[in-house]
Amino acid sequence: MQPDVVVMGAGIIGAACAQALRARGLRVVVVDRHGPASGTSAAGEGNVLVSDKEPGPELDLARASRELWPELAEDAEWEEKGGLVVATTPEAVVPLRAFAAKQRAAGIDACEIATADALTHEPHLNPEITAAVHYLQDAQLNPVKATRTLLRGIEVRRTEVSTTDGRSVTTPDGVISCGAVVNATGPWARNFGVNVLPRRGVVLVTTPIPGTIRHKVYDADYVGAVASGDADLQTSGVVESTQAGTVLIGSSRQRKGFDDTIESRVLKALALKAIALFPMLTNVPVMRAYGGFRPYAPDHLPIIGEDPRTPGLWHATGHEGAGVGLAPATGRLLAQLLTGESPLVDPHPFRVDRPEVML
């Protein structure tokens, strides 16, 4: 039977789109050359964040996703752990507090706390921090498990798409005809007509130290790195634990095409910034490191909607490192637009015909 929609990409964005379309009664087939959560979604930390987003369309999408995730994250190690953003220099105090004030005005639970209270939240935190903001809504999950959960009951074919005309996809196994096609190929979305570039990120993983770190903790300079368009290497101190007790250490951003080399200078920079936040990590062994490519859009907004040049071709990409957090609302918004429902957020900022993302 011919599917109503073919979703290209079995990462967390493609899975969320497929789940939302299927929930509306459409027959969906997902195609991916390597299978579920085998690319970008397997190379992240599983963050569901509101703390790093300026008030505006991306924060609106993040808030909508944060409301949707708890009911979708069954068996995905969902943790409503909250986040702690800290300033590590006197100069960073005013910008951190100003950013939190803007978010509070937009309805985010961003609570300024004394540094002594921050140490109560995180006893191993560096006592030299100069300010802290506690974000109650930040959460975490396992992105691979979450992707597989979203894809339950949906047909996934392991094959590669060479071309699409919006009403079919061409694969080595033949042509799959359909009513619509969704491009959810992440950093490879440029192959299908939108200006998305790969942005490299690397994560360190320590041996387990259960219960040592309780929140997602990051240096306030992380927000600036997320918003930057610089191609050169940028690193920020980001530290959090998993349910298994391992500690994930990030973050790095670097545009260097699809070069997947893990550089020692990146690992060293991440380790030093993590130790600056938690000095006790100095003697904790690093078990492994992994890297991945994130789909970077030049204007720092996801691309969600129908391509005006190719009727039937829809895009859901460009989330960079925020794809896990933004996935449920992205999937629902795309499904609502495709089926003619009222959208849960204003879709206009995410449209495909933005000058920055049209090729």
Side-chain angles (χ1 to χ4, degrees):
M1 183 184 296
Q2 177 178 309
D4 297 307
V5 183
V6 171
V7 176
M8 301 186 296
I12 201 157
I13 295 294
C17 290
Q19 186 274 337
L21 290 163
R22 182 172 180 263
R24 282 153 180 78
L26 299 179
R27 183 170 184 268
V28 182
V29 170
V30 177
V31 294
D32 191 289
R33 59 185 170 178
H34 296 304
S38 57
T40 301
S41 299
E45 297 165 88
N47 293 321
V48 180
L49 303 182
V50 297
S51 57
D52 62 342
K53 295 171 180 64
E54 288 267 3
E58 189 180 25
L59 181 58
D60 294 341
L61 198 67
R63 292 180 67 187
S65 271
R66 178 61 179 82
E67 293 177 4
L68 294 170
W69 255 131
E71 67 182 69
L72 296 173
E74 180 186 359
D75 302 326
E77 300 178 16
W78 174 255
E79 290 186 89
E80 298 188 358
K81 60 169 60 177
L84 195 63
V85 185
V86 300
T88 54
T89 65
E91 296 78 16
V93 174
V94 172
L96 172 61
R97 289 175 174 167
F99 188 79
K102 287 194 293 184
Q103 288 189 306
R104 281 195 298 275
I108 299 301
D109 289 326
C111 305
E112 290 183 29
I113 59 175
T115 55
D117 292 330
L119 293 170
T120 299
H121 284 294
E122 291 289 347
H124 298 283
L125 189 63
N126 190 334
E128 299 300 315
I129 63 166
T130 53
V133 179
H134 185 207
Y135 284 89
L136 304 179
Q137 293 160 290
D138 282 357
Q140 185 184 11
L141 50 71
N142 182 313
V144 174
K145 289 184 177 181
T147 300
R148 293 184 179 278
T149 296
L150 292 169
L151 288 172
R152 282 178 184 164
I154 295 171
E155 181 182 356
V156 179
R157 301 183 190 177
R158 189 168 295 186
T159 189
E160 187 168 2
V161 175
S162 57
T163 60
T164 178
D165 60 6
R167 305 299 181 192
S168 67
V169 297
T170 301
T171 78
D173 306 309
V175 174
I176 306 172
S177 298
C178 55
V181 176
V182 177
N183 171 24
T185 57
W188 297 273
R190 191 180 182 89
N191 295 333
F192 303 100
V194 286
N195 187 21
V196 170
L197 301 169
R199 204 175 191 189
R200 180 74 167 161
V202 174
V203 177
L204 301 180
V205 186
T206 75
T207 53
I209 45 173
T212 305
I213 297 169
R214 304 169 183 175
H215 303 74
K216 178 186 177 69
V217 181
Y218 64 83
D219 193 318
D221 66 358
Y222 173 78
V223 174
V226 169
S228 170
D230 199 333
D232 294 335
L233 175 65
Q234 299 172 73
T235 58
S236 302
V238 180
V239 180
E240 63 192 313
S241 63
T242 67
Q243 286 191 4
T246 56
V247 175
L248 306 181
I249 296 172
S251 72
S252 69
R253 282 172 166 76
Q254 187 179 18
R255 290 213 318 273
K256 56 175 188 172
F258 284 102
D259 179 358
D260 62 0
T261 304
I262 294 182
E263 303 174 72
S264 59
R265 67 180 181 124
V266 178
L267 305 183
K268 181 177 179 179
L270 295 180
L272 289 174
K273 293 205 170 188
I275 290 167
L277 288 175
F278 289 93
M280 51 76 59
L281 289 174
T282 301
N283 298 315
V284 177
V286 170
M287 185 166 59
R288 64 188 180 96
Y290 62 88
F293 300 104
R294 298 155 184 167
Y296 166 85
D299 62 358
H300 301 285
L301 282 177
I303 306 164
I304 307 167
E306 188 172 18
D307 195 315
R309 303 160 298 184
T310 309
L313 176 61
W314 295 73
H315 298 281
T317 185
H319 300 76
E320 207 203 318
V324 172
L326 300 177
T330 294
R332 184 164 296 191
L333 177 60
L334 182 132
Q336 289 169 333
L337 294 172
L338 193 149
T339 58
E341 294 180 25
S342 296
L344 79 169
V345 297
D346 179 7
H348 185 73
F350 310 112
R351 68 194 186 281
V352 180
D353 63 349
R354 291 149 30 206
E356 299 87 349
V357 301
M358 287 277 278
L359 288 176

